[in-house]
Amino acid sequence: MIFERIKSEGLAHLSYLIGSGDEAIVIDPRRDCQVYFDLARSKGMTIKYIFETHRNEDYVIGSLELEKLTGAGIYHGSGVDFKYGNIIKKDGQEFGFGALKLTAMHTPGHTDESMSYALTDPDAGKEPIMVFTGDALFVGDVGRTDLYGPEEAPRLAANLYDSIFNKILPLGDGVILCPAHGAGSLCGGMISDREYSTLGLERIQNPVLQKTEKEEFVKFKLEESLEFPPYFKKMEKYNLQGPPLLQGLPVPKLLSPEEFKTEIEKGAVVVDTRMPHSFGGAHIKGSYSIWLGGLPSFAGWMLPSDKPILLVLEEKEQLETAVRYLVRLGYDNIRGFLNGGIAAWYMEALQIDSFNLISVHDLKARIEKDEEIVILDVRSNEEWEAGHIEGARHIYVGHVEDNLDKIPKECPIVVYCGSARRSNIAASILKKHGYNKVYNVLGSMVAWKSAGYEVVK
Amino acid sequence: MIFERIKSEGLAHLSYLIGSGDEAIVIDPRRDCQVYFDLARSKGMTIKYIFETHRNEDYVIGSLELEKLTGAGIYHGSGVDFKYGNIIKKDGQEFGFGALKLTAMHTPGHTDESMSYALTDPDAGKEPIMVFTGDALFVGDVGRTDLYGPEEAPRLAANLYDSIFNKILPLGDGVILCPAHGAGSLCGGMISDREYSTLGLERIQNPVLQKTEKEEFVKFKLEESLEFPPYFKKMEKYNLQGPPLLQGLPVPKLLSPEEFKTEIEKGAVVVDTRMPHSFGGAHIKGSYSIWLGGLPSFAGWMLPSDKPILLVLEEKEQLETAVRYLVRLGYDNIRGFLNGGIAAWYMEALQIDSFNLISVHDLKARIEKDEEIVILDVRSNEEWEAGHIEGARHIYVGHVEDNLDKIPKECPIVVYCGSARRSNIAASILKKHGYNKVYNVLGSMVAWKSAGYEVVK
Amino acid sequence: MIFERIKSEGLAHLSYLIGSGDEAIVIDPRRDCQVYFDLARSKGMTIKYIFETHRNEDYVIGSLELEKLTGAGIYHGSGVDFKYGNIIKKDGQEFGFGALKLTAMHTPGHTDESMSYALTDPDAGKEPIMVFTGDALFVGDVGRTDLYGPEEAPRLAANLYDSIFNKILPLGDGVILCPAHGAGSLCGGMISDREYSTLGLERIQNPVLQKTEKEEFVKFKLEESLEFPPYFKKMEKYNLQGPPLLQGLPVPKLLSPEEFKTEIEKGAVVVDTRMPHSFGGAHIKGSYSIWLGGLPSFAGWMLPSDKPILLVLEEKEQLETAVRYLVRLGYDNIRGFLNGGIAAWYMEALQIDSFNLISVHDLKARIEKDEEIVILDVRSNEEWEAGHIEGARHIYVGHVEDNLDKIPKECPIVVYCGSARRSNIAASILKKHGYNKVYNVLGSMVAWKSAGYEVVK
Amino acid sequence: MIFERIKSEGLAHLSYLIGSGDEAIVIDPRRDCQVYFDLARSKGMTIKYIFETHRNEDYVIGSLELEKLTGAGIYHGSGVDFKYGNIIKKDGQEFGFGALKLTAMHTPGHTDESMSYALTDPDAGKEPIMVFTGDALFVGDVGRTDLYGPEEAPRLAANLYDSIFNKILPLGDGVILCPAHGAGSLCGGMISDREYSTLGLERIQNPVLQKTEKEEFVKFKLEESLEFPPYFKKMEKYNLQGPPLLQGLPVPKLLSPEEFKTEIEKGAVVVDTRMPHSFGGAHIKGSYSIWLGGLPSFAGWMLPSDKPILLVLEEKEQLETAVRYLVRLGYDNIRGFLNGGIAAWYMEALQIDSFNLISVHDLKARIEKDEEIVILDVRSNEEWEAGHIEGARHIYVGHVEDNLDKIPKECPIVVYCGSARRSNIAASILKKHGYNKVYNVLGSMVAWKSAGYEVVK
């Protein structure tokens, strides 16, 4: 038996390849799906089935792509109008591969058609050994139930309770838990950064599962407040109808500064994936700063889906990663990247922009001197509520571009987040919209606390 | 948290790297230990502790080597006279690294000093999440208790019962099981080829753990009959005193056929790692055939520890694998390999030997024609007892060289095993000792059964 | 400036990537052309032009494939009716890229439209620094002039003389020579295995260029006798019309023995790429033996272009190499490869075939005992004429299948070549056609001579 | 025959591996010499000889290291007191390997013991095919003759003339030139960035070789003015006595910000290898900025040889490159690198420094506004003389730290070079020494010219 957990960084998306004999299955494949084919083949296996736990909203599902590559059949739950693949109509449907067996279970709550799949090793016993729970049950958290809007949320939360307590947990304490997300996903705010757990551990350690009364569980879920990025809608549509086939990753062109400039003038959007300390010093006017590792989480908030994308990278070796991150969100139209990076741009004496990076000590000094500044905290609600710098205003980074009217233009704006990365996104948006006195705080809240400065709630 | 299972193929040895924050630990490192250092470093972690579950007898432990490379402290159990590292004196001793905690538990039975280690994630709860059981508990089997000889076996078996039923299983059904071996190890005959399990699953699915009465359990263990390769003694000594430091893998010399011949004449032993269908056709007279993947299991049975080793490989790219396999068993004196492989040898018109590879259909025909042949089955006792070809004699491959007096020289010898690989080892030994009419059966018992031919018990 | 010589092993085909600034060119690209794109991109360069020296007959040209990948323009000579790319109409046409300049020269002789290209570095001087001569001039040899048949040969030989002596050599002794082939190519029998030379060195060291009188040169060329493999015709057609686009290498399926057998029954041809010592011992009945490194030279002689191909490999890692070698010859329909190799086949008790591998000492003994055997030498004419085993018959390996009527079926056939590889091809053909007593001589002529046995002319 | 040119980036050092049959030789190996062993072995070759063209002054020679790894013999010229290896006593000494032959020639001028080596392929002819000229003759330039000081320079220049015109060029126009350096080396200021040439091409294109009269040649050489970095003395000593053996690259420790800070306090020197646009925004106070690719050329100018080195990297993947670059200059004591890079530092609220990066447009505006600024040009003499910004002062980057008394502290300093990289080194030195108003000009002279701004001579 082989078992591989394939993690898509940033999205914190977990997919799985399980194989036995010369047959393998994949659960929730990502769109850049060569990895499953290569892994299976390296073990002398052919992929027989592809399973989806649900119609994801946070990334483009790779099932169709993998079907094209392997010929394997796609299976998903009933209840939404999938335009591709096969519907699993009844609970308990079984799929054999090699010496193993997968049993489908309808576990609605996160979405109506959500499925879980229990894996059995009949040679060892009839009890399941693993369960693939999609977005129903995570390590340390459960799936969100707010995707259909506030009216449907009570019903979904109740469904989720039933799915977890009456279907999943009864599989047995010894069953290994294989969820669709790890820490950092937008699909659950408290997911543990440990990826290894069992139903027995979750039963006693998962904070949400301590709410064993249905009413209490539902109440807790209704009080949750999670961000809902605008691109979710597009992903849902893609994942219902089947996204366009890529058949290999897009290969963006190598563009000279002059060609790059021409593409900008024709309307392409520039994304600069460097770190804040590099971006702040010099960047192309009007570009979005989203550090490489932040693309999966933040590109979908700000990048338009109908314009070509141009990339500025720290090192050209990062191109493939950037491309993977973007196509997983459906940004397939990546026009090119700047040959030679930002240095090539400024060597041609083309226009650059910059903003100041300040330390927490500088910020503290400015506050103490009572300078006229606006301090903008762009972290999430949870982080803001857990403590912030006195006098700061709060707008989540994903909402900055839609709330510029709440940010004065004439006065210096000091932006901070947890580290300096999300605040750099915000700073780039402000610069893009004509704010001239923008400062980003290096280290932000982490450094602020390291320095022992005060935090208020 | 990071968690990596590093598998040494062939030995079916499992070691573990666990990390949190910027600290990591390693459990039961192998001797070619750069892999742990590289993995930890790629995650920005430093290795802080090295733990041994017990003094292994089937491979050279890599703790000293890894200590040299990283400066990490070595810890193992008490009760044997280790000449290196630190003794864990009391049950329950705790070791913190990053946000995690490891708790040592004395779990004798396989050996007297055997330890298990329970891993806790205090941020999630006080209950352990994983347990590293060494050779106490495997997936589908338990450790052997016969290593101290028949007199000590009852005591060890009783100890193992206590360790498993009174210390390990009570940790909880939801605990993930991390043993020191997978299927194929000489340390347990029925280990599952699935490497993923939990204490809950073992409690209900492990055949040995169904013997819940101590008496019954001990009786079962005493009836077991496992092979005891001669090199175990050397490994035990190494692992008690600390093996010689390698500081990098040995780099065998590239030898021309002429140089290779000279080394043979000076007393070096030739090991040919090609597959049976390649070895049978042409090989250097007097060489041992042990296919590459079989080195970890069979080299220790036949190769002397005091002579230099020479290698004949199918492809030179296989050299590193062969070297790793040999040093894991303490064969550090690998003099060289034949540049250009067997073809270079025969291009120089040097002496070659060969023997016939026959199909099961040929063998069947010979039997039916009542030809005067000796059929030799070299599989394990268990395999032999489960069914063999009528009229065959049985000598385990590891014992062939010591039992040549039981095999007539004048008459054709047809050797078989499960596939043709172990029988090829045996055939090479027979040729080495002057047997001229040797045949190896391609596909052996698997093919015999595929062909639908009869098997007797 | 970058300069990369990309060698296609087996074909001994040399192609070139030259770059300057952010522009690059490719000369005579092969069909699996990702390598040029990747190399150029790693240097921050875009491929601007693709040049062909001539319509090759020994491999499928990759120009169209590379144009599709990069958008670069294709250029070739006039005089044949190319269905793609641009014709270079006049001698001396110049192409600039970065700081460099390429000048086209019409150098007919090997073919009528053959071009050479001289590279100049104007910053250093007006004299050319390199010349890309295609199949006009090699290191140690010149191009063959027999491709249009004996009637055209005198004209072509005279043309070649003019091209070399009046156009290429006058470029200057200091010019670096970059031909389209190295040693081992079918396009020249005496090409040096050294790939580095200059016009000055060739002028004094190349044996053919010592024939400085035109008449003498032409006479020499007309006396040459080179093999003309049947697939040359197909290559010529492909390279005139433009071959089918691959857009990525074909990915053969992983086939179980049962599936493999089914494909054979449906008419697919089996090619076994193992070495003779592995093939002889056990192989699938009816398969062609062509060792991996011999595919580029020998597949075209025997494999039909209209049937699917099935592969048996020593190691599955060799698949990609086998696929590359086959598509370079236009064999795109590679149905699959045997999962698990020949061992998987015999484990299922499926029919295997074999033949004996004998040493030169065995052969010598048989000859001395005056056994009734046919000794078949399958080497080239040149090799045969340079000396062979007394009493042998000669049929070039490429002609064996068409000359079976000259080889008696009832008597043992002992085949030899230079090493045992080409004779293994011949042996596999004989077995395929029902010859039962076939022997291949390990080491063949090289070993025969190493052993000091007599050779006759 | 195999021929591999191994280039050490930055140093622009060229070394060579040549092989024939199963024997290979190496010319002028670098210190991190595993590459030669691996290349030779991948071709089935053993390294037989190591040749040095001369006692290098710009990098640590790797001969001893490679001898330790391979057992090959080292050979170099006579005339200096080498403490290792073998002296070649007479001109014309021959060394055979495989089918090739290397002939030693004494070619003094760059140093007294300088050797060239001519390679012959006796199978093709008696004329040499390649010549390895060390620092005597480059593509487009000849070796410097000023290393023994002004008194010896006339003698050395005359010697070089004789070596080139009377020994090297007479080998023949068709001989391929293989020098020890390419463009960018400190050993010749006009070396072409094209690495491919022949003696014939140099004879007509090399500007220095156009001075065919000895007197004129010597006069030209004496007028040359090349930088002489302080570390040359140490390299010379190392290369005379034999440098310390590394036996594998040093492996710097992963240091937390706290540990890093402790090492700084204990006296270690910080080198930050990021690009200017990243360094300017935030860096550790007191660190030297030397971008990664600039380490080979500039580390030797400023880093003390007796203090441990600490690294700050943009990406941890760059560590190995940084380590290679440093050990090639004899900096073996690399204590560690900052885990997590500069971001980890500022997350802990540790002190950071910064300086402003300005565009050429900003600089132009400041000049036009007649602001009180010092403009500092840190390029080489040649570059300065070819044209600079009006009003600038000139101090070569390598001399800035020794000439701080010439740079006023109270007034803003605007530093520029060709691009912004060398000026960033200078800016970091100024900051280190307490200058507070430091500006680096992005794009520097290249951008200044791109913008069309005026340059004066």
Side-chain angles (χ1 to χ4, degrees), chain B residues 22 37 40-46 251-254 256 316 319 337 339, chain D residues 22 37 40-46 251-254 256 316 319 337 339:
Chain B
D22 57 6
F37 179 82
R41 181 165 271 228
S42 75
K43 302 293 183 182
M45 293 177 180
T46 299
V251 181
K253 290 177 98 164
L254 205 67
S256 69
K316 68 171 175 294
L319 178 64
F337 68 102
N339 194 8
Chain D
D22 57 6
F37 179 83
R41 180 165 273 226
S42 75
K43 303 292 183 182
M45 294 177 178
T46 299
V251 181
K253 288 177 98 165
L254 203 69
S256 69
K316 68 170 175 293
L319 178 65
F337 68 102
N339 194 8

Side-chain angles (χ1 to χ4, degrees), chain B residues 138-213:
Chain B
F138 301 121
V139 180
D141 202 350
V142 303
R144 61 195 289 184
T145 49
D146 62 345
L147 292 177
Y148 293 8
E151 276 157 50
E152 296 276 26
R155 177 179 68 79
L156 287 169
N159 284 350
L160 187 63
Y161 178 89
D162 291 338
S163 293
I164 293 173
F165 282 91
N166 301 329
K167 290 191 140 179
I168 295 172
L169 290 184
L171 293 174
D173 275 3
V175 176
I176 296 168
L177 175 64
C178 300
H181 282 292
S185 166
L186 292 165
C187 301
M190 304 180 309
I191 303 179
S192 167
D193 88 331
R194 167 169 55 87
E195 281 163 18
Y196 306 88
S197 191
T198 59
L199 295 183
L201 287 171
E202 291 311 303
R203 196 174 49 73
I204 52 180
Q205 296 189 339
N206 187 315
V208 191
L209 300 200
Q210 303 322 302
K211 296 166 202 317
T212 51
E213 294 304 313

Side-chain angles (χ1 to χ4, degrees), chain C residues 199-432:
Chain C
L199 295 184
L201 287 171
E202 291 311 303
R203 196 176 48 75
I204 53 181
Q205 296 188 340
N206 187 316
V208 191
L209 300 200
Q210 305 320 302
K211 299 169 199 315
T212 51
E213 294 303 313
K214 190 167 184 173
E215 209 171 329
E216 180 194 26
F217 180 95
V218 170
K219 182 164 173 290
F220 174 84
K221 289 303 290 176
L222 295 182
E223 283 166 357
E224 253 183 1
S225 138
L226 291 161
E227 295 297 344
F228 193 94
Y231 75 101
F232 272 26
K233 289 287 169 210
K234 189 184 170 201
M235 295 302 98
E236 283 179 4
K237 203 177 132 201
Y238 260 14
N239 292 340
L240 202 59
Q241 303 195 337
L245 287 175
L246 288 176
Q247 297 189 254
L249 288 173
V251 181
K253 289 177 99 165
L254 203 70
L255 298 173
S256 69
E258 207 50 57
E259 292 166 335
F260 201 84
K261 189 157 162 274
T262 303
E263 294 289 344
I264 297 172
E265 287 160 4
K266 291 197 300 197
V269 171
V270 180
V271 181
D272 190 318
T273 65
R274 293 176 296 147
M275 289 288 279
H277 48 262
S278 183
F279 182 88
H283 55 262
I284 296 175
K285 207 174 165 58
S287 51
Y288 284 105
S289 162
I290 312 178
W291 84 104
L292 187 63
L295 277 182
S297 301
F298 297 102
W301 279 97
M302 34 217 79
L303 303 188
S305 63
D306 57 351
K307 286 187 182 171
I309 289 171
L310 296 171
L311 292 166
V312 179
L313 307 161
E314 189 69 65
E315 307 283 341
K316 67 171 174 295
E317 287 70 23
Q318 297 165 339
L319 177 65
E320 189 187 311
T321 301
V323 168
R324 285 183 188 273
Y325 285 176
L326 289 169
V327 299
R328 286 176 193 162
L329 300 176
Y331 294 105
D332 303 353
N333 185 4
I334 309 168
R335 188 60 53 88
F337 68 103
L338 182 56
N339 194 8
I342 192 68
W345 183 266
Y346 60 63
M347 301 287 273
E348 303 261 338
L350 294 168
Q351 287 298 332
I352 53 175
D353 205 346
S354 69
F355 52 73
N356 280 91
L357 304 163
I358 64 172
S359 71
V360 289
H361 312 295
D362 289 341
L363 173 57
K364 178 73 172 160
R366 280 166 195 252
I367 292 171
E368 283 171 355
K369 276 192 280 178
D370 217 10
E371 287 190 10
E372 195 194 355
I373 50 173
V374 170
I375 304 177
L376 185 63
D377 182 322
V378 299
R379 298 175 302 152
S380 69
N381 287 336
E382 287 76 10
E383 292 169 283
W384 167 261
E385 280 158 19
H388 53 262
I389 296 173
E390 188 163 12
R393 304 184 191 186
H394 177 240
I395 303 174
Y396 177 63
V397 58
H399 300 307
V400 167
E401 203 154 15
D402 292 337
N403 288 276
L404 295 171
D405 54 327
K406 300 186 185 127
I407 308 167
K409 224 166 190 159
E410 58 289 346
C411 134
I413 317 283
V414 180
V415 202
Y416 78 89
C417 63
S419 64
R421 295 182 297 199
R422 285 174 294 172
S423 48
N424 214 63
I425 299 178
S428 76
I429 291 170
L430 294 175
K431 283 297 272 188
K432 195 176 165 66

Side-chain angles (χ1 to χ4, degrees), chain A residues 248-266:
Chain A
L249 288 175
V251 181
K253 290 177 98 165
L254 205 68
L255 298 174
S256 69
E258 209 49 59
E259 293 166 334
F260 201 83
K261 188 157 161 275
T262 304
E263 294 290 344
I264 296 173
E265 287 160 5
K266 291 198 301 197

Side-chain angles (χ1 to χ4, degrees), chain B residues 10 273 290-301 325 329 421 425:
Chain B
T273 65
I290 313 179
W291 84 104
L292 186 63
L295 278 182
S297 301
F298 297 102
W301 279 97
Y325 285 175
L329 299 177
R421 297 181 296 196
I425 298 178

